Amino acid sequence: MSDYQLNKLLFEAARRHRIVETLADEADLAGYELTAEERAALARGDIEALYRLGANPYLIRRVFRPRFPV
């Protein structure tokens, strides 16, 4: 598992104030050593899977804000 790489990707997206439904573009994922499962969870915007894979809950919420109810 590469939860460090996953959190680094989410941190960079949050730092750029990216708010998205999914992160599926290869350009977004380039340079990060992610597992196939992590890539699939990002492509689906699957916040539960991202949490199980070790993503920081704060970063998940910052980046995938549209997926959370108001």
Side-chain angles (χ1 to χ4, degrees), residues 34-46:
L34 301 169
T35 65
E37 190 176 6
E38 291 166 337
R39 288 176 179 273
L42 289 165
R44 291 189 313 269
D46 187 343

Side-chain angles (χ1 to χ4, degrees), residues 20-53:
V20 297
E21 288 279 337
T22 65
L23 278 172
D25 187 9
E26 267 310 306
D28 291 330
L29 307 179
Y32 298 97
E33 295 177 26
L34 301 169
T35 65
E37 190 176 6
E38 291 166 337
R39 288 176 179 273
L42 289 165
R44 291 189 313 269
D46 187 343
I47 56 177
E48 290 178 24
L50 290 168
Y51 181 75
R52 279 194 319 274
L53 291 166

